[in-house]
Amino acid sequence: MTILGIETSCDETAAAIVQDGHILIKQSLATSLDQHKITGGIVPEVAARAQVEYIIPVLQEVLSRTAPGKIDAIAVTVGPGLIGSLLVGVETAKTLAYAWSKPLIPINHMLGHIYGAWLSHDDMDAHWPKLALLVSGGHSELILMQSHQDIKKVGWTLDDAAGEAFDKVAKLLSLEYPGGPNLSKLAESGDPKAVDFPLPLNQKDNFNFSFSGLKTAVLNYTRQYPELSQAQKADIAASFQQTVVTSLINKTKLAAAHFGAQEVILGGGVAANKLLRTELVEKLAPLSCRIPEMAYTTDNAAVIAAAAFYQNYPQDPLTVQADLSLELAN
Ligand code: KG4
Ligand code: ZN
């Protein structure tokens, strides 16, 4: 089954054609990131206008090799995300589905992040239940999958998402947007033991996260030492990063044991973080961890098309709507 996926939930405009949920035929991606660097964060109106500008060229590129007649269905991210951005992809997908008489499959963005694992590994269909650690700019969640059809959120953040915390702390250290990748780069030259930041929400009776207190601890530290050298900033970055990664791993380990997970999946933009990728595998061993290829960590349309193969619930194009705060349904 050949699916055309469309993803426009934030500042990436992406389209991809994926076969049978795991073979990438072609993808195209444009981003308005450079415009958001100027403002130090995403301005939703700017992101939405860029979506309008990029959507047709991105679609033309992926359709250059596959004629519409060869496409069996269209999948589109319907939420969560920025409403102006989401609308561009959703209305485009509805129009194509209607014009080409193809089924339209609405996909939850966070579900898409899970299916990066299916694009990255060949043998994903064994080992249930699976536990997914999804960490992005807007979400930090633990998702228990008994099967493709039985998916339940078992842990979440009480305040900031992991990526959001990376971005905010990067700002405190005067790093350019997007903070996550820049902060982790700076952290490479720092000492993760230099600053003793408290491990957030470290109780063993829940699977939730909290990163806002940690962000405040970094803020207080930078206020205490306003004239920080580059080496001191690197120490702060490394210590902060280590605290976030340890917190994510502790809760994942706890939930995996509690629910008897047979393997762990990592997904979302923060899955690009090198320390998280290596420590998750090390600390959860012998439990197997499915780490997505770098290309499938941050937002892209291949994971949306892959998800639609397994979550194949088409809906009448005329009734599909963007939903900025869409939750993962069970
Ligand atoms: O999934 P994503 O592309 O967009 C959302 O759905 O939010 O995730 C973007 C988030 C941003 O907060 C970004 O700073 C973070 O992922 N991120 C990272 C790294 N690369 C991206 N955080 C930490 N380390 C990284 N290497
Ligand atoms: Zn995302």
Side-chain angles (χ1 to χ4, degrees), residues 109 113 136-138 163-164 166-167 178-181 184 268-270 272-273 297-299:
H109 178 81
H113 278 308
S136 72
E164 186 181 0
F166 266 94
D167 294 340
S184 63
V270 183
N273 185 275
T297 56
T298 47
D299 293 349

Side-chain angles (χ1 to χ4, degrees), residues 28-158:
S28 172
L29 190 141
T31 175
S32 53
L33 181 69
D34 282 348
Q35 294 181 60
H36 309 305
K37 279 184 185 166
I38 300 165
T39 40
I42 293 179
V43 177
E45 175 69 19
V46 173
R49 282 174 190 274
Q51 294 287 1
V52 174
E53 191 185 329
Y54 299 150
I55 189 76
I56 300 292
V58 159
L59 276 167
Q60 276 172 333
E61 195 183 341
V62 288
L63 291 167
S64 62
R65 280 220 252 141
T66 310
K70 298 243 170 73
I71 290 165
D72 299 307
I74 297 169
V76 65
T77 302
V78 287
L82 302 172
I83 192 66
S85 290
L86 284 167
L87 278 170
V88 176
V90 170
E91 295 309 313
T92 305
K94 284 163 74 171
T95 308
L96 290 178
Y98 191 74
W100 294 344
S101 301
K102 304 283 180 192
L104 181 60
I105 308 167
I107 293 293
N108 181 307
H109 178 81
M110 297 312 290
L111 209 53
H113 278 308
I114 294 180
Y115 284 92
W118 271 262
L119 282 161
S120 308
H121 307 280
D122 286 336
D123 52 343
M124 285 301 298
D125 287 333
H127 311 301
W128 304 86
K130 302 175 194 293
L131 180 74
L133 170 64
L134 299 185
V135 272
S136 72
H139 295 258
S140 297
E141 294 171 350
L142 282 166
I143 310 288
L144 183 67
M145 295 178 89
Q146 297 287 355
S147 68
H148 290 292
Q149 274 62 49
D150 184 349
I151 295 178
K152 201 166 104 191
K153 187 156 82 176
V154 294
W156 49 85
T157 177
L158 303 183

